Amino acid sequence: MTSQSGSAEDNQATAVVAAGYDAVYAAVDKSPTLRRLWHEGAEGPDFPEEFGHISFTTLADLRRTASELRLASGDTLAGLGCGMAGPALWLARETGANLIGVDLSAVAVEKATTRAVALGLGAQAEFRVGSFAATGLADESADGATSEDALQYAPDKSAAMREVARILRPGGRFVFTAFELDAARAALLPVLSADPVEDYRPCLADAGFDLEAYEEIGGWPEPTIATYSSIIAAREDLVREMGEVAVAALLSEMMMTVEGRPYRSRVLVAATRK
Ligand SMILES: C[S@@+](CC[C@H](N)C(=O)[O-])C[C@H]1O[C@@H](n2cnc3c(N)ncnc32)[C@H](O)[C@@H]1O
């Protein structure tokens, strides 16, 4: 069951996002075309394909995240909005931390679990359905938390930051990448209009974090628009490989992004829980 909090409107938006991602995750393994385009456009040639993902995380982003998390072997890492958990599992392997991955999509959670076992990380990783605002994790149970390109979907960013502060021990770090939203443009779009945060710093401060780093990831618009455009152009092949429902879910967000340009920046953020 999806764990949620917040208004009925937020929960409805969250259910729509979960259903869309369920459809995509159920079909993603069937599409060599999507895998190829994502690897070429978003991951980059040096990204280890066994940790492949559907964000814009590069190997450089992962190395920086691992170093900012400051985890020791045996620590607990919460991976939020982890999807099929390629990046989060890479971080667990790199740092020796035990991963608890959380995502809205039950299909993603199932696939992440299978993948952890296939990568030999089954004893070091577990996954559960939950949201940014209601992870289901205990107070101060994590030494670090991370997320890749998912926070922009949270319908209440302040609630999400408060939840991350609650599950982190004092001194634990939250290191994430996310898209800052252009409020005026996002206001016209479903899901992103729920809470179009242009800058994550105020809600991090209000939730009790000290900011360590807040940086725009250079050159971010190019891979985003180029990857989405190449995937939109490959629609026919994708439908043949994945089916209409999954492709409709996948392309609706991509078309919205290419046409509506709701993002003002992609940022890498590191913050310490006071
Ligand atoms: C662009 S994908 C990135 C997934 C993963 N981090 C990766 O690198 O492949 C965004 C993810 O955020 C999840 N998500 C969206 N809204 C969420 C929310 N409110 N709480 C938790 N996860 C959410 C989606 O289910 C999806 O798996």
Side-chain angles (χ1 to χ4, degrees):
M1 209 180 84
T2 303
S3 158
Q4 292 176 356
S5 68
S7 71
E9 207 175 312
D10 284 357
N11 289 344
Q12 201 183 358
T14 302
V16 169
V17 175
Y21 272 105
D22 274 348
V24 171
Y25 285 126
V28 80
D29 297 337
K30 298 180 198 157
S31 178
T33 303
L34 180 62
R35 180 91 289 280
R36 177 176 57 77
L37 294 173
W38 205 265
H39 186 65
E40 286 171 5
E43 293 171 354
D46 60 348
F47 197 90
E49 290 220 56
E50 67 276 26
F51 293 97
H53 56 63
I54 59 162
S55 59
F56 287 90
T57 305
T58 62
L59 191 54
D61 294 340
L62 281 183
R63 289 187 174 134
R64 175 77 192 282
T65 301
S67 122
E68 291 287 355
L69 278 167
R70 312 238 170 117
L71 292 169
S73 182
D75 278 355
T76 296
L77 171 65
L80 307 175
C82 67
M84 297 195 302
L89 284 166
W90 187 95
L91 290 166
R93 190 193 63 171
E94 185 73 6
T95 62
N98 295 312
L99 172 67
I100 305 180
V102 177
D103 198 275
L104 272 190
S105 162
V107 179
V109 163
E110 199 185 306
K111 297 225 169 186
T113 305
T114 305
R115 177 185 234 181
V117 173
L119 289 168
L121 295 166
Q124 211 181 316
E126 61 177 84
F127 299 92
R128 56 177 67 185
V129 175
S131 69
F132 280 109
T135 61
L137 306 188
D139 290 358
E140 300 188 10
S141 58
D143 301 288
T146 189
S147 182
E148 312 84 27
D149 299 347
L151 253 172
Q152 66 275 1
Y153 301 116
D156 182 342
K157 271 69 169 178
S158 294
M161 298 306 185
R162 283 196 302 273
E163 175 71 351
V164 183
R166 183 188 69 75
I167 65 171
L168 277 175
R169 65 161 169 79
R173 285 188 156 209
F174 182 26
V175 184
F176 64 91
T177 58
F179 289 96
E180 292 178 337
L181 292 157
D182 177 314
R185 289 171 180 267
L188 306 171
L189 302 172
V191 181
L192 298 178
S193 57
D195 184 17
V197 162
E198 296 202 317
D199 182 338
Y200 293 98
R201 284 170 282 199
C203 51
L204 278 165
D206 288 348
F209 285 97
D210 281 330
L211 200 65
E212 309 293 345
Y214 195 96
E215 295 164 13
E216 177 165 10
I217 297 171
W220 69 271
E222 203 279 326
T224 313
I225 299 304
T227 305
Y228 283 179
S229 300
S230 70
I231 289 170
I232 291 165
R235 189 180 186 286
E236 271 181 37
D237 289 338
L238 295 176
V239 169
R240 209 168 33 249
E241 292 168 358
M242 303 171 73
E244 283 282 358
V245 173
V247 173
L250 185 72
L251 294 198
S252 65
E253 188 194 334
M254 293 185 181
M255 289 166 78
M256 201 174 77
T257 305
V258 170
E259 286 160 17
R261 306 284 170 126
Y263 299 139
R264 69 194 283 267
S265 182
R266 180 170 179 256
V267 289
L268 187 141
V269 183
T272 301
R273 206 282 224 177
K274 283 183 194 157

